[in-house]
Every structure is written in structure tokens, then in C-alpha cells.
């Protein structure tokens, strides 16, 4: 039996609350782990330069020696720049699940014929199949589409996990410019585009309505309705309790809202990848910079806060929220809510990141 949208909303609200509490809990322990234990990317060499030896060095213990969850499935073991900027669902839920699946099936070690790029191509197929179901009028079919898109996002995480395991890379890391980097990005683009096209076609064939129903005649804002509905299709029904106005949203308006939301996704993706690349270059890749300055920057609360903003604003977070809205049959309401406000959040996050980049350059690069 299918859940009604109202019941599904209540159940998913509870699940969403549980996930939010879990993610806050994990973020707190991630920050404490960074502060109190050794970080692999800044593992101090025994022979330090004379200049570096003037810094006060504190011997930190290995996190692996004190945690009961094995590090091959523990998302807190190997913090990196990218790990601090990945959305919570991928980092704290899909990441460990990918590791468990990899261990159980031996994908990285035994299934060498299955390449990360093959996994990427397969989740494009899943996305196209999901887009087809998104166009259906049946809410059950659209919810099945959301399940397929969540599988797509899981596979998107799995291809990166397999690639890192086969290269023996600890923690999340972007290999900017590599073939896998571009294949993964293009496959993501195709998958997201398929999803947005599916939503567009559904809203085109089932335009959302707005208006007033069962409202006493004396309280109806006639002038506002006339202004709002001047260019739209109006259905007017006379009832015993008043007048019902059911106003169809025009296809032009639907395209505008989806276009603005898609623009957010594109800009967010470009900026997110840009700052991952910049932070990796300044803090992880350029070993000629003072290691103590790089490590203290990475451990700072300012850096944790600035990267934490990208956990919320990055395109994967948008997708998770959108899939939740579709599952609850609140697609149009969600898109209307964020198609402008999302740009404000993105501007704030980019501004904070630019400020942080200048501070890192001043402190780490320029000394």
C-alpha cells in the first residue's frame, strides 16, 4: 500500500531529524579527532629543517590506536581537505557503506575487471532509467525513481572509493586533471541533467496549481488574484462555502524556476571543485611550505567552519534535498523555496572561502 504524501512527510521528517543529529554528532567527533590526534597528510618527518625545528612540536598519538571501528570503514580516520568539504550523507553514510560493500565483495582486490569508470558509466544508465520514472504521474513510480537516484549517488561514491583503494590512497582526494576525474565529472553532469529533465517533463505534464479553496467570499483577495492570475489558466468553481480558485503555473515559470535551480547546481559544483583544488595545493600538495603552518591552518576552527559551509552548499547536498522533496511530493514547493535563496547561501559561502584563501596565502605561502 502506498504511503500518502502527508504520512511520508511525517516519517521522513523523523528520519531527517535523526540523520541531522547523527551528522552533528559525527562533525563534533571529527573536529575533536583533528585537534587531538596525528593527521596522515602532515606526518612529520624525522629530519626536519633547522628553521622548522624552532617551532614547538607536540607529539600526537595515532587515532587508529584508540578507535574501535576499523579505519577502512571509519570516516574519521583520515581527514583531508576534500573529506571536510564532502556532504554529510556521502561522507558519513555512503562512504562507510561503500567500504563495507567493497570488503564483502572484494571489488578492489579481486574484481579487477570492474574499473571505476565502468561503475561511473553504469550509474549514468541508472540515472536515465530513474529520469524516465520521474515523468510518471504515479507517486509510487516517482518514489521508485528516487530510490534509483539514491543508488546512482551511492555508485558515484563507490567508483571513487574503488579508485583510491587500488591506488592505496588514504582518505578523500581529488586527482585534478586525471582521466578518472573528468569521467566522473561528466557522468555526474549527465546523471543530474537526466534528473532535472525528468522533473521538468513531469511538471510540464502535471503543472502545479495555486490558489484558494473553500475560502469565504468576503476574505478572498480579488485584486491580488486578478494580478497574479492575469496570464495563467484559472479554474473557478462555485461551492457552498465560497469560491475555489485553482491556478495552473505556466510552463514558462516552471522552466524559469528549474533553470535558476540548475544554475545554482552548476555554480556550486564549479566553486566547490575550485576550492578543493586550491586548498589541496596550499595545504596538502605543496610540501615546500612550512608543515607546521599548514597543519595549524588545517586544524583551525576557521578552516573547519569554512569547509563545513561547503558540506551544506555543495551540489550533492542540493540533490539529496531535492530527492527528499520529490519523495514527499513537494517538488515544486522545494524548488520555489530555494531557486533564489540558494544563490544567497552560495554567495556567503564563496565570500567566506575567498577570505580564508587570502589568509592561507598570507600565513602559509608567504610566511
Amino acid at each position: 500500500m502506498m504511503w500518502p504524501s502527508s504520512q511520508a512527510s511525517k516519517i521522513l521528517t523523523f528520519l531527517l531529524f535523526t540523520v541531522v543529529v547523527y551528522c552533528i554528532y559525527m562533525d563534533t567527533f571529527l573536529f575533536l579527532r583533528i585537534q587531538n590526534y596525528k593527521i596522515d597528510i602532515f606526518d612529520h618527518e624525522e629530519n626536519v629543517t633547522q628553521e622548522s625545528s624552532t617551532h614547538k612540536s607536540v607529539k600526537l598519538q595515532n587515532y587508529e590506536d584508540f578507535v574501535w571501528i576499523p579505519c577502512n570503514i571509519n570516516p574519521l580516520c583520515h581527514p583531508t581537505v576534500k573529506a571536510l568539504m564532502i556532504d554529510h550523507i556521502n561522507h558519513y553514510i555512503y562512504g562507510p557503506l561503500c567500504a563495507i560493500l567493497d570488503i564483502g565483495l572484494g571489488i578492489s582486490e579481486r574484481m579487477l575487471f570492474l574499473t571505476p569508470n565502468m561503475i561511473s558509466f553504469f550509474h549514468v544508465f541508472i540515472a536515465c532509467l530513474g529520469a524516465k520514472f520521474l515523468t510518471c504521474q504515479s507517486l509510487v513510480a516517482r518514489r521508485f525513481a528516487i530510490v534509483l537516484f539514491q543508488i546512482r549517488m551511492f555508485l558515484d561514491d563507490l567508483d571513487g572509493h574503488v579508485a583510491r583503494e587500488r591506488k592505496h590512497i588514504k582518505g578523500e582526494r581529488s586527482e585534478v586533471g586525471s582521466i578518472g576525474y573528468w569521467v566522473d565529472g561528466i557522468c555526474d553532469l549527465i546523471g543530474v541533467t537526466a534528473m532535472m529533465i525528468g522533473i521538468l517533463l513531469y511538471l510540464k505534464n502535471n503543472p502545479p496549481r495555486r490558489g484558494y479553496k473553500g475560502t469565504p467570499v468576503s476574505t478572498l483577495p480579488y485584486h491580488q488574484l486578478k494580478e497574479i492570475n492575469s496570464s495563467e489558466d484559472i479554474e473557478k468553481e462555485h461551492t457552498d462555502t465560497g469560491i475555489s480558485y485553482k491556478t495552473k503555473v505556466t510552463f514558462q515559470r516552471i522552466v524559469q524556476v528549474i533553470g535558476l535551480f540548475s544554475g545554482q547546481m552548476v555554480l556550486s559544483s564549479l566553486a566547490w571543485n575550485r576550492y578543493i583544488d586550491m586548498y589541496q595545493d596550499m595545504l596538502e600538495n605543496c610540501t615546500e611550505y612550512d608543515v607546521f603552518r599548514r597543519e595549524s591552518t588545517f586544524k583551525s576552527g576557521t578552516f573547519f567552519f569554512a569547509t563545513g559551509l561547503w558540506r551544506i552548499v555543495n551540489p550533492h547536498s542540493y540533490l539529496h534535498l531535492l530527492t527528499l522533496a520529490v519523495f514527499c511530493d513537494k517538488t515544486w514547493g522545494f524548488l520555489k523555496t530555494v531557486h533564489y535563496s540558494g544563490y544567497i547561501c552560495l554567495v556567503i559561502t564563496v565570500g567566506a572561502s575567498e577570505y580564508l584563501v587570502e589568509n592561507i596565502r598570507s600565513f602559509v605561502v608567504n610566511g
Side-chain angles (χ1 to χ4, degrees), residues 275 310 313 318 341-354:
Y275 289 112
W310 282 111
V313 180
Y318 283 133
S341 60
Y343 283 98
I344 298 175
C345 297
L346 183 58
V347 168
I348 293 173
T349 304
V350 169
S353 299
E354 283 298 322

Side-chain angles (χ1 to χ4, degrees), residues 157-175:
D157 213 33
L158 181 63
D159 60 13
H161 173 82
V162 172
R164 289 189 299 273
E165 285 295 313
R166 290 180 179 174
K167 294 180 179 180
H168 306 290
I169 297 175
K170 293 183 178 180
E172 299 280 351
R173 196 179 301 271
S174 286
E175 296 185 292

Side-chain angles (χ1 to χ4, degrees), residues 12-80:
L12 289 176
T13 298
F14 173 76
L15 293 177
L16 180 62
F17 175 78
T18 304
V19 170
V20 169
V21 171
Y22 167 72
C23 292
I24 293 174
Y25 174 87
M26 293 296 288
D27 272 350
T28 303
F29 274 86
L30 176 62
F31 182 75
L32 295 175
R33 180 261 176 274
I34 292 173
Q35 297 299 312
N36 298 309
Y37 296 94
K38 186 186 297 184
I39 300 175
D40 296 334
I41 56 177
F42 303 114
D43 195 9
H44 297 178
E45 298 180 0
E46 290 296 328
N47 299 321
V48 296
T49 62
Q50 182 67 30
E51 181 181 359
S52 298
S53 64
T54 59
H55 293 275
K56 183 179 179 180
S57 177
V58 179
K59 186 69 174 179
L60 297 177
Q61 297 172 313
N62 289 321
Y63 181 73
E64 296 90 328
D65 298 336
F66 296 90
V67 66
W68 61 274
I69 301 177
C71 273
N72 52 358
I73 63 173
N74 190 335
L76 306 182
C77 270
H78 306 295
T80 61

Side-chain angles (χ1 to χ4, degrees), residues 309-349:
L309 291 177
W310 282 111
R311 286 176 172 262
I312 302 170
V313 180
N314 79 50
H316 299 97
S317 295
Y318 283 133
L319 285 177
H320 287 302
L321 291 175
L322 179 59
T323 55
L324 181 64
V326 174
F327 195 91
C328 295
D329 201 19
K330 304 292 183 183
T331 309
W332 180 245
F334 170 76
L335 291 173
K336 279 203 310 178
T337 301
V338 303
H339 75 288
Y340 284 131
S341 60
Y343 283 98
I344 298 175
C345 297
L346 183 58
V347 168
I348 293 173
T349 304

Side-chain angles (χ1 to χ4, degrees), residues 6-255:
S6 58
Q7 183 180 357
S9 297
K10 292 178 181 179
I11 295 173
L12 289 176
T13 298
F14 173 76
L15 293 177
L16 180 62
F17 175 78
T18 304
V19 170
V20 169
V21 171
Y22 167 72
C23 292
I24 293 174
Y25 174 87
M26 293 296 288
D27 272 350
T28 303
F29 274 86
L30 176 62
F31 182 75
L32 295 175
R33 180 261 176 274
I34 292 173
Q35 297 299 312
N36 298 309
Y37 296 94
K38 186 186 297 184
I39 300 175
D40 296 334
I41 56 177
F42 303 114
D43 195 9
H44 297 178
E45 298 180 0
E46 290 296 328
N47 299 321
V48 296
T49 62
Q50 182 67 30
E51 181 181 359
S52 298
S53 64
T54 59
H55 293 275
K56 183 179 179 180
S57 177
V58 179
K59 186 69 174 179
L60 297 177
Q61 297 172 313
N62 289 321
Y63 181 73
E64 296 90 328
D65 298 336
F66 296 90
V67 66
W68 61 274
I69 301 177
C71 273
N72 52 358
I73 63 173
N74 190 335
L76 306 182
C77 270
H78 306 295
T80 61
V81 163
K82 187 176 181 180
L84 296 184
M85 296 178 67
I86 291 179
D87 65 286
H88 294 88
I89 302 298
N90 277 333
H91 190 200
Y92 294 137
I93 298 178
Y94 286 170
L97 289 177
C98 286
I100 293 172
L101 180 66
D102 184 25
I103 294 171
L105 299 181
I107 299 174
S108 300
E109 296 181 356
R110 296 194 296 271
M111 297 185 182
L112 299 181
F113 64 91
L114 186 60
T115 66
N117 289 343
M118 290 172 63
I119 299 175
S120 298
F121 295 144
F122 181 68
H123 73 61
V124 169
F125 168 75
I126 295 292
C128 294
L129 185 62
K132 172 62 178 176
F133 281 99
L134 272 181
T135 63
C136 298
Q137 283 190 322
S138 169
L139 182 57
V140 174
R142 298 200 304 277
R143 285 174 175 171
F144 178 67
I146 293 309
V147 173
L148 291 177
F149 276 105
Q150 287 297 326
I151 293 174
R152 186 209 78 82
M153 286 186 267
F154 174 80
L155 293 175
D156 183 33
D157 213 33
L158 181 63
D159 60 13
H161 173 82
V162 172
R164 289 189 299 273
E165 285 295 313
R166 290 180 179 174
K167 294 180 179 180
H168 306 290
I169 297 175
K170 293 183 178 180
E172 299 280 351
R173 196 179 301 271
S174 286
E175 296 185 292
V176 181
S178 64
I179 295 177
Y181 176 85
W182 289 111
V183 169
D184 184 62
I186 293 172
C187 289
D188 282 350
L189 177 62
I190 296 173
V192 174
T193 302
M195 183 178 188
M196 300 312 299
I197 291 175
I199 291 175
L200 176 64
L201 293 177
Y202 168 75
L203 292 176
K204 178 180 180 295
N205 297 326
N206 304 272
R209 296 175 181 269
R210 58 186 180 185
Y212 302 84
K213 186 175 182 180
T215 306
V217 177
S218 58
T219 62
L220 283 173
Y222 290 104
H223 297 290
Q224 293 182 22
L225 282 173
K226 183 179 179 181
E227 180 181 352
I228 293 173
N229 300 328
S230 59
S231 62
E232 297 179 343
D233 179 27
I234 305 173
E235 292 183 7
K236 185 175 179 181
E237 300 174 356
H238 291 276
T239 64
D240 296 334
T241 57
I243 300 176
S244 298
Y245 285 89
K246 295 181 180 179
T247 306
K248 288 184 180 179
V249 177
T250 62
F251 181 62
Q252 181 181 1
R253 174 62 175 164
I254 293 172
V255 172

